[in-house]
Amino acid sequence: MTPPDPSTPHPSRHAALDRLAWFRPRMGAAYAAARNIDLGPTRREGVSGLSPYLRHRLLLECEAVAAAASAHGPAGAETFIQEVFWRTYWKGWLERRPGVWRAYREAVQDRAATIAAEPDLAARLRAAEAGETGLDCFDFWARELVEYGYLHNHARLWFASLWIFTLRLPWELGADFFLRFLIDGDPASNTLGWRWVAGLQTPGKHYLARAENIARFTEGRFRPDPADLAEEAEPLVGEPPPGAAPPPAPDRAPLRLEAGTGLLLSEEDLHPESLPGLAPRRLAAVALMSCAADRSPGAVSPSVERFTGAALQDAGGRLEAAGAPPATRLDGDRASGRALAEWAERAGLRTVLTPYAPVGPAAERLAAAQAALAERGIALRPMLREWDARAWGHADRGFFRFRKAIPELMRAAGL
C-alpha cells in the first residue's frame, strides 16, 4: 500500500481510515523500535500520523487500539496501545483538575498583556518563534512547526526542554506557541506535556534535552554542542497539582429523538455516527462549532483553522448523507453562547445534543451556551462516551498507575 503523504494530513474520516490501514502492519515491533527516531517532516514512516484524526475524533481511540490488538496482539502492540491511552489519560487528568487549565490560560493572558513592557523577553520570544536563535535543531523545529503544523513527539520534548531550560522562556508561552500551530494541538496533552517537561506535572521530575540524545535519535541530522544546551538545570517550581475531583458521570438515560432535537458538533468529537441511539434522519437541525481561534489570545495558524473547519464540514457531510439536514456553520463570534442559543431557537429546538467536550475552548463555549439556552427553555444534553467515562475514573494519579487498568479498559470496550 502506498503511504499517505505524511506532511499534509487530509481532514476527513476517509483519510483517517486510509492512514490507519496503512500503519496497521507497523503497530507492533516496528513501531516500538522506530517511534523515537525523528527523520524530518517528510520521513514519518516510523510514527502513525494518526494524531490529527484522534485529536478531532475523526478516528476513535477504540478503533486505533482494536486495529493494533487485532494485528499484533495486545502484548505485541503494547507500546502503540499505551500511546493511544496516554491521550485519554491526559484528558481525564485535566478534566478532573480544570483549575490547571484555567491557571495556564490566565498566565498566557497575563504574559500577552505585559510582554510589550519586557523588550528583552519580547525579542527572545520573537527569535524563538521565528527559528532565529542560532541553535540549529531548535530553529529547524520552530520553522517545521509553523510550516507543517506538526512535530515528531520526541522533537516536541526536545523543543520544550530547550525553550524552558536553555532559552529561559516562560513555559506557558511555549505551550501557547504549540497550541497555535499544531494541527493536532490538544488542550490536555499540550498543557500537561509542557508541565511535565518543566517539572511541574510530577514535581521534581523534569526532562532535559541532551546533545547525545538529539544526535542519536535524529540519526545525526543534528549534532548540537553540549556546551550550547542546559544539560544540567533545576526543574521549575510551582504549586503542586491539585487533588482529583470525581470524573463526570455519563447520562445513560435512553436517547429518544423527539421532535425539536438538534445536534451540535465541535472539533472535539467528529464521529457522530457512533453516538449511541443517534439517528441522523430524526434530527431537526445540525450545527458545526469551530473553536480553533479560541486556542490562544494570539493569532492561530491558518492551517489549524483550515484543518479544523474542513474536518467539521466532513462530519456534517457524513451526517447529511445519512439523512440529517444540512449543517449550519458557527464560527468566530457566531459560535458565542448567545449565537448558539439563537440558532437553536430559530430551528425550533427543545433539546440540543452534543458530544461531551473535555476541558478546553469548546467546553468553555458550551458552558456559555448552556446558560443562554436555558434562558430560552432549551436543554443542552452532553453525551459522554463510555470510553472516556471508564478511563477517566482511573486518571486520579500518575500514568503508570493508570496503565495497570488498560487491560480492564480494553475488555470493557470489547477489545
Side-chain angles (χ1 to χ4, degrees):
M1 180 183 291
T2 303
D5 183 347
S7 63
T8 54
H10 185 71
S12 72
R13 165 79 174 163
H14 180 77
L17 294 175
D18 276 354
R19 185 79 194 184
L20 180 69
W22 174 77
F23 196 71
R24 186 170 178 264
R26 299 163 176 80
M27 291 176 173
Y31 176 77
R35 71 188 183 96
N36 285 326
I37 301 172
D38 176 17
L39 298 177
T42 60
R43 294 187 60 196
R44 298 182 188 155
E45 298 88 350
V47 294
S48 73
L50 294 172
S51 59
Y53 306 116
L54 291 167
R55 158 66 182 97
H56 298 287
R57 276 189 168 157
L58 287 166
L59 181 72
L60 299 178
E61 295 91 335
C62 61
E63 293 177 302
V65 170
S70 63
H72 305 277
E78 181 180 23
T79 301
F80 179 85
I81 289 170
Q82 285 187 14
E83 286 301 306
V84 175
F85 271 101
W86 261 108
R87 304 179 69 85
T88 301
Y89 165 74
W90 281 139
K91 285 180 184 292
W93 194 97
L94 192 62
E95 188 68 20
R96 300 180 64 177
R97 301 163 181 85
V100 172
W101 169 253
R102 290 194 295 269
Y104 156 72
R105 295 279 264 185
E106 289 167 5
V108 172
Q109 289 278 8
D110 290 347
R111 285 293 189 181
T114 62
I115 201 163
E118 302 179 60
D120 174 67
L121 173 60
R124 291 189 294 117
L125 180 63
R126 284 194 298 271
E129 292 189 352
E132 297 174 350
T133 68
L135 189 57
D136 287 351
C137 56
F138 182 93
D139 290 346
F140 182 92
W141 292 323
R143 295 191 296 269
E144 181 182 355
L145 171 62
V146 171
E147 181 175 356
Y148 292 98
Y150 179 86
L151 280 182
H152 187 285
N153 187 60
H154 211 160
R156 297 185 197 200
L157 295 176
W158 293 323
F159 186 99
S161 180
L162 295 171
W163 178 287
I164 295 168
F165 299 111
T166 296
L167 300 177
R168 310 296 294 177
L169 291 167
W171 75 266
E172 297 95 340
L173 296 183
D176 179 66
F177 181 45
F178 269 19
L179 205 54
R180 285 187 285 125
F181 283 93
L182 285 172
I183 290 172
D184 64 4
D186 174 74
S189 296
N190 188 63
T191 306
L192 302 181
W194 275 82
R195 281 174 52 86
W196 181 81
V197 170
L200 298 169
Q201 188 65 18
T202 304
K205 295 182 180 180
H206 57 327
Y207 179 84
L208 292 173
R210 301 188 184 279
E212 183 278 331
N213 187 265
I214 293 172
R216 175 155 55 101
F217 286 103
T218 61
E219 295 192 348
R221 289 171 57 232
F222 302 109
R223 296 184 180 275
D225 186 334
D228 293 335
L229 311 186
E231 294 198 345
E232 301 294 334
E234 293 298 314
L236 301 190
V237 177
E239 293 292 324
D251 180 356
R252 294 195 173 97
L255 184 61
R256 295 186 177 89
L257 294 185
E258 299 171 347
T261 298
L263 178 68
L264 172 64
L265 294 179
S266 77
E267 63 254 40
E268 294 297 329
D269 192 324
L270 296 176
H271 196 255
E273 307 96 308
S274 60
L275 293 171
L278 189 72
R281 292 182 182 278
R282 300 189 64 187
L283 293 170
V286 176
L288 310 174
M289 179 178 69
S290 177
C291 304
D294 294 354
R295 289 187 181 192
S296 169
V300 172
S301 163
S303 296
V304 168
E305 298 218 43
R306 282 195 299 270
F307 186 96
T308 301
L312 281 159
Q313 285 295 135
D314 181 73
R318 284 182 277 119
L319 280 173
E320 187 174 354
T328 299
R329 282 289 297 267
L330 299 171
D331 298 337
D333 292 339
R334 294 179 62 238
S336 69
R338 189 156 297 279
L340 283 166
E342 289 170 355
W343 158 76
E345 189 172 45
R346 286 195 303 272
L349 302 184
R350 294 200 291 265
T351 302
V352 175
L353 305 173
T354 188
Y356 189 96
V359 166
E364 292 166 351
R365 289 272 189 179
L366 289 172
Q370 187 162 21
L373 287 165
E375 290 174 2
R376 292 163 169 79
I378 304 169
L380 180 67
R381 182 174 174 181
M383 303 176 73
L384 179 65
R385 292 185 182 272
E386 288 293 339
W387 177 273
D388 294 330
R390 295 189 190 103
W392 292 356
H394 296 278
D396 53 345
R397 299 188 188 179
F399 178 77
F400 296 104
R401 180 184 176 97
F402 177 92
R403 184 175 65 181
K404 295 178 181 178
I406 290 177
E408 171 193 336
L409 294 171
M410 290 179 64
R411 286 192 297 272
L415 304 176

